[in-house]
Amino acid sequence: RSLHKIQHDELEKLKELKDLPAITKDGERVRLLANSGLLNDLQPSLLSGAEGIGLYRTEIPFMSCSAFPTEAEQVAIYSELFAVFGNQPVFVRVLDIGGDKQLPYFQIKDEQNPALGWRGIRFCLDNTAIFRSQLVAILQASEGYKGLHILAPMVSDLEQIRSFKALIEESIELLEGNGHRINKPKIGCMIEVPAAISQIPFWAEDLDFISIGSNDLCQYLLSVDRNNPRVAGLFESSHPAVVHEIKRIIDLAAPFKLDICLCGEMASDPRAVVLLIGFGVRKLSLGAAQLPRIKKLIRTLDASQCKVIAERLCGMSSAAEIKMELER
């Protein structure tokens, strides 16, 4: 049989899993959500069996415009997003520009180290007119919808969370004053700046959930730019530091019953999924194309065995050793 025929047959078999849950052999339910940023991603996400959108990157529509989109233009985009997913959860990450994500009409220049610069929530809170407009658009579009989660990127400080929440509350009051009926969204932040990890217990009462951004977390923990060919080989999610910090995030969040989702390349890496299930992660957000294969994998795993493996990996001192054990 040709490789093309083998791949076609495999994809057909994976389609059969679309309406089946991602549940381990010992009964642990894992929610699989899709990453998205364009409206034409939504149908493939549904067809892959996604149970919602775990990361909607709002900067992508901004990047495809020739100027900042108007409030009305944003409402139209977000309304379609919420309509497609009914009352399944949609995690909307507010504007995350800066670093390697520049708007063509608002270039952030003269930064020696953009990864550590004016990006994510820092940019939003310094540009409140743009940010308020986005929040009002998201909330207005969510009228009648109950699955909205609003997510702040690149958070490193409690005051950023409180300012973020205050702007959301102000936007709700404004809309309700104009006759809209808004369901209160769930509010969370990305855990991707290493400083955020130890702060989880202090932030917990201000948050409904956290999302682990594994790509940026790895970049910052390892001080590796994965887009730099000279050092990209050092970007390794199996690195012991990354493994231990992800476990620490989950352990610190557990007493507060904070909902946790992990998004990033780890969510679509079969080896990493074994580790994450072992640590207790039960919500993953990944590309729609990879979702059926990860669902198939989860349905063959035993969560209690994954836990034993994950505990063993915490005693290993090299990425190569950890990776080899996960492959085995």
Side-chain angles (χ1 to χ4, degrees), residues 39 176 248 279 293 320:
L39 292 178
E176 288 181 339
R248 188 158 73 108
F279 282 160
R293 286 189 173 88

Side-chain angles (χ1 to χ4, degrees), residues 24-241:
T24 64
K25 290 195 294 185
D26 54 349
E28 287 291 324
R29 181 81 158 84
V30 181
R31 305 272 170 189
L32 295 179
L33 302 101
N35 298 332
S36 176
L38 295 169
L39 292 178
N40 59 11
D41 289 341
L42 302 182
Q43 217 51 43
S45 298
L46 281 176
L47 291 172
S48 73
E51 298 174 81
I53 296 293
L55 179 65
Y56 186 78
R57 303 178 178 101
T58 59
E59 63 276 4
I60 293 179
F62 275 73
M63 289 163 94
S64 60
C65 294
S66 56
F68 281 106
T70 65
E71 210 166 280
E73 287 169 338
Q74 291 184 67
V75 169
I77 293 168
Y78 305 137
S79 295
E80 192 170 336
L81 168 66
F82 301 140
V84 168
F85 278 90
N87 280 322
Q88 288 182 301
V90 174
F91 290 69
V92 177
R93 185 176 70 189
V94 298
L95 192 58
D96 187 15
I97 61 164
D100 58 347
K101 290 175 284 189
Q102 296 274 3
L103 298 179
Y105 47 87
F106 194 97
Q107 293 282 315
I108 298 170
K109 296 177 180 175
D110 304 320
E111 290 201 317
Q112 288 192 341
N113 195 334
L116 304 181
W118 204 37
R119 55 174 301 196
I121 196 68
R122 301 167 184 178
F123 174 86
C124 290
L125 294 176
D126 283 347
N127 292 275
T128 50
I130 296 165
F131 191 28
R132 273 198 181 94
S133 174
Q134 182 182 38
L135 291 173
V136 167
I138 292 167
L139 290 159
Q140 185 178 328
S142 77
E143 191 166 4
Y145 165 70
K146 293 179 180 172
L148 177 59
H149 296 62
I150 305 182
L151 183 55
M154 298 301 297
V155 172
S156 58
D157 184 83
L158 180 58
E159 286 311 308
Q160 292 170 334
I161 294 171
R162 289 186 173 161
S163 298
F164 174 58
K165 286 182 72 176
L167 286 167
I168 291 171
E169 283 158 19
E170 282 172 29
S171 301
I172 291 171
E173 281 175 27
L174 175 71
L175 286 163
E176 288 181 339
N178 290 327
H180 296 280
R181 297 183 66 184
I182 309 298
N183 289 308
K184 192 165 186 257
K186 293 197 182 301
I187 296 172
C189 72
M190 300 292 295
I191 302 293
E192 51 197 349
V193 177
I197 299 172
S198 63
Q199 302 305 295
I200 290 170
F202 305 108
W203 296 356
E205 66 179 35
D206 285 276
L207 298 170
D208 298 305
F209 69 93
I210 56 174
S211 284
I212 302 171
S214 67
N215 295 353
D216 268 326
L217 184 64
C218 283
Q219 168 175 261
Y220 291 126
L221 281 171
L222 303 177
S223 294
V224 170
D225 177 0
R226 63 199 174 111
N227 298 317
N228 180 339
R230 290 177 176 148
V231 295
L234 299 173
F235 185 90
E236 182 54 79
S237 61
S238 302
H239 191 288

